[in-house]
Amino acid sequence: MKEYILAIDEGTTGSTALLIDSESFELVDSINQEFKQHFPKPSWVEHNLTEIWEAIEATVKKVMAENNVTGEQICSIGITNQRETTCAYDSKGRPLANAIVWQDRRTSEFCKSNKESFEAHKKLTGLPLDPYFSGTKMKWLLENNSNVKDAAKKNDLKLSTIDSFILYKMTAGQSFKTEASNASRTLLMDLTTCDWSKELLDFFEVKRE
């Protein structure tokens, strides 16, 4: 039975599903579907997670159907994604808010006000305190979104980057994971241990779990 690698490229403007020959590593086919960009306020950029998941479902189904490939022929799945975009969802994978996109600048004032106090933690993550990164967006959601606040109180909150949201959905909630290259962009990972840093989690008031 011929086998394929399924690659999911979750970009800032659209989702692309690619089929790759598992032996030759040649690209067999790819399908792209764009999704909406939401701009609720100046400098705010959001994505609807339901729209993203629907685009992934549609492109995966289409690229497999058009090439007569079954699920049994997929030997592995790879995900590449927009890095710092931040998602909030519950334990059933239901979105609690629009994702805050990496371009979003709503946490600029927090970063300006806390720049000096963050200097002591900078060695842990190797990054400056900037709205670009996920930790500031997670803190904003915890403080400003009622759905996220309620889920946090009930211990029913998942905060993550896009890769983890896709993996969680694809595994029906069985796998809430990321890997170091995505985790390093959150401002929450200690570069020396490749683990979540208590200092950084406390700074952004994000629970480890």
Side-chain angles (χ1 to χ4, degrees), residues 4 21 26 37 48 53 55 60 68 76 92 100 111 129 173 176 179 198 204:
Y4 300 87
D21 188 300
E26 290 183 357
Q37 308 294 304
N48 183 298
W53 179 244
V60 168
N68 297 311
S76 66
K92 293 185 178 179
I100 303 179
C111 292
L129 184 61
F176 182 52
E179 50 72 55
K198 185 179 185 304
F204 292 105

Side-chain angles (χ1 to χ4, degrees), residues 3 25 38 45 50 66 85 96 106-107 154 177 182 190 193 209:
E3 293 187 331
F25 297 113
H38 300 269
V45 190
T50 299
E66 291 190 355
T85 296
L96 298 168
R106 74 185 67 185
T107 61
K154 297 173 184 175
K177 297 178 183 292
N182 277 291
D190 183 337
T193 64
E209 59 273 17

Side-chain angles (χ1 to χ4, degrees), residues 31-148:
I31 301 288
N32 174 267
Q33 180 173 309
E34 293 188 355
F35 47 78
K36 293 179 184 176
Q37 308 294 304
H38 300 269
F39 306 100
K41 292 183 181 181
S43 84
W44 289 30
V45 190
E46 297 179 353
H47 289 158
N48 183 298
L49 286 172
T50 299
E51 292 173 359
I52 284 180
W53 179 244
E54 287 174 349
I56 292 170
E57 282 192 307
T59 54
V60 168
K61 287 178 180 177
K62 189 172 183 180
V63 78
M64 290 177 67
E66 291 190 355
N67 292 277
N68 297 311
V69 173
T70 66
E72 289 75 17
Q73 291 176 273
I74 302 298
C75 62
S76 66
I77 301 172
I79 299 170
T80 181
N81 55 285
Q82 42 174 312
R83 291 283 187 177
E84 297 80 7
T85 296
T86 303
C87 313
Y89 44 102
D90 66 16
S91 59
K92 293 185 178 179
R94 296 175 299 201
L96 298 168
N98 276 352
I100 303 179
V101 181
W102 57 272
Q103 300 145 309
D104 189 285
R105 303 298 293 178
R106 74 185 67 185
T107 61
S108 293
E109 285 306 313
F110 167 80
C111 292
K112 287 177 184 176
S113 301
N114 292 275
K115 185 177 180 181
E116 289 186 15
S117 59
F118 187 75
E119 281 299 308
H121 309 299
K122 192 174 176 181
K123 66 182 185 301
L124 295 173
T125 186
L127 299 171
L129 184 61
D130 191 273
Y132 186 72
F133 303 112
S134 312
T136 69
K137 305 177 196 300
M138 291 179 184
K139 182 174 176 62
W140 188 94
L141 284 166
L142 285 163
E143 293 179 347
N144 295 280
N145 186 283
S146 58
N147 291 335
V148 174

Side-chain angles (χ1 to χ4, degrees), residues 49 87-97 147-148 150-152 154-160 164-165 167-176 209:
L49 286 172
C87 313
Y89 44 102
D90 66 16
S91 59
K92 293 185 178 179
R94 296 175 299 201
L96 298 168
N147 291 335
V148 174
D150 290 344
K154 297 173 184 175
N155 293 316
D156 190 32
L157 174 63
K158 306 292 183 188
L159 288 173
S160 76
S164 301
F165 171 70
L167 184 61
Y168 198 77
K169 294 287 284 184
M170 292 187 76
T171 61
Q174 295 300 302
S175 185
F176 182 52
E209 59 273 17

Side-chain angles (χ1 to χ4, degrees), residues 188-199:
L188 301 176
M189 191 189 86
D190 183 337
L191 291 178
T192 61
T193 64
C194 286
D195 196 3
W196 305 122
S197 160
K198 185 179 185 304
E199 279 185 53

